[in-house]
Amino acid sequence: MKPLSYVRAGTAREAIDAFVAAGDGARYIAGGTNLYDLMKLGIERPAHLIDIADLEGADRIDTDGDRLFFGGAALMANVAEDPVVSRDYLVLAESLSKAASQQLRNMATVGGNLLQRTRCPYFRNGVNGTYPCNKREPGSGCAALGGLDRSQAVLGASEACNAVSPGDWPVALMAMDATIELQGRDGTRVIPISELYRPPSQTPHLEFTIGREEIVTGIAVPKTAAGRNSVYLKVRDRESYAFALVSAAVALEMDGDRVGQAHVALGGVATVPWRARAAEAFLRGRTLDREGALAAATAAFADARAGRHNAFKIELGARTLADALITAGSKSQ
Amino acid sequence: MPNSQGKHRLETTRRRVLKAGTIISLSGAMLPTTGLAQQAGPQPSPENGVTVPVSFRVNGRPAALDIDARASLLDLLRERLGLVGAKKGCDHGQCGACTVHMNGRRIASCLTMAAKAHGRDVTTIEGIAGADGLHPMQQAFIDHDALQCGYCTPGQIMAAIACVKEGHATTPEQIKEYMSGNICRCGAYVGIVAAIEQAAPQIERS
Ligand SMILES: Cc1cc2nc3c(=O)[nH]c(=O)nc-3n(C[C@H](O)[C@H](O)[C@H](O)COP(=O)(O)OP(=O)(O)OC[C@H]3O[C@@H](n4cnc5c(N)ncnc54)[C@H](O)[C@@H]3O)c2cc1C
Ligand code: FES
Ligand code: FES
């Protein structure tokens, strides 16, 4: 690990000023569960760390208004156990409580979770030329394409990268039409979460659309009755404390016994948190039965492409989504 | 993994610029580019890190020292403070052997930068026994043979105490889920769950 300086900022403004003053090697650190991990692996090499985990008010959780609001530095554990979130927005609560471990959820922030980097084994293990990786060393190639690709994406891959977007929480937020509040040098702005992630295309090292010095100050989710008919279903190699092989975030706005608007997103299978619009369109106006759920789920994977070892994700993904739809639907009765 | 925590480096003689307290109050004078980067005299070897002062409480006692800014809390506890109860299993948040409490909550000390402990309260396995003997969770681990080699045990016990205090030890299923961050290579899981069930009623929820 390179020598580095460390400062703890008190406000977002202070942090941004410190970031700008520190120049090229500056990075924000929140819980550090991803950044510090990658520093130990030699993948991230910051020279100046600006700690934003303790910014004034940044851990705020507010469920009183017409939206849910989570400060960027709110802890995963605290959001998962918030009484309103865990009662009325199970898809959000479960995406957090099924992620990592309680120790890590006590450290990791919901803002940092959005910006965590891939768990692709070639990305994580290949430093110093062991494996090429276009994310780690732009232009070096991709060892996962045609390599041991069991964990890799079947949706959204490019010729340069098929690494999976690892977070669970962004998948749930994608389904729930969350917006991300950002503060930068020139003020604040709000973007839909769908605009936070860049597909890999030819530049997989550019993963997020936000500026280097921008801080995620908050995440907002519009309140909706669909939260009550929601679920985050996550299938892993082991029952707990593992990243998703496939996951499905589902929330259903019902119209009597028919689906009005379905909110559907997929994790573990795609290069970015994946909104499954085709499945949503298929479900509109239908009653939910096993057959329809599976047909909708199959539509979600119509464009999926498998490599050598990850074809199982297509069927597992469709079946997982179908189960999630049935589960969410059964809650509305 | 590139190791940045050789002991020799911690004895660095050239104390660098940061004064106690500035770690919290961010003032222009301590910005990295102004204070830390350019040094006159011999170039520091790549092993030589920037130091920051931390003061915190560990097991109820105050501790204040200058640390390499890169250090993990786990290395600080083990290498500088001699508290070797917390173990380094993976150093990447994947096993739970390094579990300690910070401000009463369980964390993985290997992925916690030591600088983050500044101003906080840390409790390790060394700090949980009372004047009148073992902590009920320690006793329960003994009663249920909840270990074999014992390497994971300090982390298991610290996680288990927190698990109970959080209110996550009400059923065996819940215990298993909320203890999943602690891997036991010897597979003592059955005893661990039984021990937690035994100790839970004796520990107050927070
Ligand atoms: C063993 C293990 C298992 C895990 N399992 C799961 C899992 O199953 N599911 C899952 O979703 N995640 C999992 N994680 C990942 C974990 O949830 C993330 O590492 C965590 O959420 C990141 O948050 P953090 O606060 O620690 O971010 P950091 O590591 O501090 O930061 C991550 C990145 O975000 C940037 N950043 C952080 N906060 C902000 C902000 N507010 N504004 C701008 N930039 C910011 C940092 O500069 C850095 O680039 C696991 C991690 C580990 C180590
Ligand atoms: S040593 Fe910290 S989790 Fe393994
Ligand atoms: S007792 Fe040996 S690892 Fe748990």
Side-chain angles (χ1 to χ4, degrees):
Chain A
M1 209 184 292
K2 282 205 313 189
L4 53 82
S5 72
Y6 168 93
V7 294
R8 203 186 279 178
T11 65
R13 188 73 259 162
E14 262 179 25
I16 294 164
D17 289 346
F19 191 104
V20 172
D24 276 354
R27 286 295 288 277
Y28 295 122
I29 185 162
T33 60
N34 188 231
L35 181 58
Y36 191 37
D37 186 23
L38 292 172
M39 285 161 58
K40 291 182 179 196
L41 293 168
I43 295 166
E44 297 274 18
R45 299 168 58 79
H48 306 292
L49 287 179
I50 293 127
D51 193 335
I52 56 172
D54 302 292
L55 303 186
E56 209 180 302
D59 59 352
R60 188 163 69 92
I61 299 174
D62 181 359
T63 56
D64 287 341
D66 55 358
R67 56 179 208 163
L68 310 171
F69 178 85
F70 310 109
L75 296 176
M76 288 172 71
N78 290 354
V79 174
E81 304 212 357
D82 175 85
V84 173
V85 175
S86 57
R87 189 191 62 211
D88 294 341
Y89 297 88
L90 208 55
V91 63
L92 298 176
E94 288 179 330
S95 76
L96 293 167
S97 64
K98 292 182 178 179
S101 66
Q102 187 71 0
Q103 283 93 322
L104 295 164
R105 295 189 294 267
N106 276 337
M107 304 156 67
T109 63
V110 292
N113 189 288
L114 301 179
L115 302 171
Q116 64 174 298
R117 306 196 67 192
T118 184
R119 308 299 287 197
C120 170
Y122 294 104
F123 171 79
R124 282 179 62 85
N125 298 322
V127 102
N128 297 331
T130 315
Y131 299 114
C133 170
N134 287 325
K135 254 192 207 307
R136 209 177 349 90
E137 283 138 41
S140 64
C142 172
L145 289 162
L148 295 173
D149 60 3
R150 178 176 180 273
S151 60
Q152 305 303 107
V154 293
L155 290 165
S158 73
E159 279 140 52
C161 182
N162 61 1
V164 162
S165 177
D168 294 297
W169 166 243
V171 175
L173 290 175
M174 191 70 83
M176 299 303 280
D177 298 310
T179 54
I180 310 300
E181 305 191 0
L182 300 162
Q183 184 172 342
R185 225 190 297 203
D186 310 317
T188 59
R189 64 191 182 108
V190 179
I191 58 169
I193 187 172
S194 56
E195 286 175 18
L196 179 60
Y197 297 95
R198 289 178 199 260
S201 63
Q202 290 313 303
T203 52
H205 61 291
L206 303 175
E207 298 168 309
F208 312 106
T209 57
I210 67 175
R212 271 178 43 77
E213 87 299 344
E214 272 186 305
I215 295 181
V216 174
T217 49
I219 299 164
V221 177
K223 280 195 176 169
T224 161
R228 292 237 171 94
N229 314 321
S230 77
V231 65
Y232 189 78
L233 187 55
K234 178 174 177 183
V235 177
R236 295 164 268 191
D237 275 326
R238 61 183 178 202
E239 180 66 23
S240 181
Y241 195 24
F243 284 89
L245 280 175
V246 308
S247 69
V250 172
L252 300 176
E253 282 167 35
M254 300 300 287
D255 190 359
D257 63 347
R258 293 177 184 273
V259 177
Q261 172 69 47
H263 299 259
V264 182
L266 297 166
V269 291
T271 51
V272 294
W274 195 263
R275 185 82 185 246
R277 299 274 183 200
E280 294 179 2
F282 182 94
L283 289 164
R284 194 164 296 126
R286 282 181 169 258
T287 55
L288 257 182
D289 54 18
R290 183 83 223 162
E291 217 170 285
L294 199 54
T298 305
F301 284 88
D303 296 332
R305 284 221 216 108
R308 290 164 70 194
H309 310 289
N310 59 355
F312 76 99
K313 282 193 175 187
I314 298 175
E315 183 167 0
L316 183 62
R319 288 179 179 274
T320 302
L321 175 53
D323 280 357
L325 289 167
I326 295 291
T327 302
S330 68
K331 294 185 183 189
S332 69
Q333 281 149 26
Chain B
M1 189 192 76
N3 184 354
S4 58
Q5 283 308 305
K7 258 193 180 161
H8 55 287
R9 214 171 344 101
L10 298 164
E11 291 155 14
T12 178
T13 48
R14 289 190 300 147
R15 282 268 315 281
R16 316 229 178 138
V17 298
L18 296 187
K19 295 203 189 81
T22 49
I23 189 172
I24 287 265
S25 63
L26 187 63
S27 68
M30 68 167 306
L31 287 182
T33 41
T34 54
L36 305 178
Q38 263 101 49
Q39 292 283 324
Q43 286 299 306
S45 84
E47 294 281 283
N48 259 343
V50 178
T51 59
V52 290
V54 290
S55 62
F56 65 115
R57 294 179 75 80
V58 58
N59 298 331
R61 298 223 188 101
L65 62 175
D66 292 324
I67 59 161
D68 187 305
R70 294 168 290 187
S72 69
L73 177 58
L74 177 62
D75 284 342
L76 169 61
L77 293 169
R78 291 181 55 88
E79 309 295 334
R80 300 290 304 280
L81 299 175
L83 295 167
V84 296
K87 296 291 184 280
K88 188 181 286 192
C90 66
D91 214 20
H92 288 278
Q94 298 176 3
C95 75
C98 65
T99 303
V100 300
H101 297 178
M102 189 144 89
N103 286 0
R105 297 172 68 134
R106 52 173 152 163
I107 57 161
S109 61
C110 70
L111 283 192
T112 300
M113 295 195 83
K116 280 179 172 284
H118 185 73
R120 305 216 153 101
D121 262 306
V122 174
T123 306
T124 69
I125 188 77
E126 288 90 345
I128 59 166
D132 46 350
L134 294 179
H135 187 282
M137 193 63 78
Q138 290 175 305
Q139 188 58 52
F141 267 62
I142 295 169
D143 294 346
H144 290 274
D145 281 338
L147 60 141
Q148 284 185 39
C149 77
Y151 195 81
C152 72
T153 310
Q156 298 279 3
I157 291 177
M158 295 311 286
I161 293 170
C163 183
V164 174
K165 289 189 169 171
E166 292 157 9
H168 290 144
T170 56
T171 64
E173 290 67 38
Q174 196 188 31
I175 292 171
K176 286 179 198 168
E177 174 59 35
Y178 280 89
M179 287 296 292
S180 72
N182 293 76
I183 309 291
C184 176
R185 197 66 187 80
C186 299
Y189 297 110
V190 174
I192 292 169
V193 173
I196 295 172
E197 286 191 277
Q198 172 181 309
Q202 303 167 54
I203 297 171
E204 257 179 67
R205 285 197 192 179
S206 50

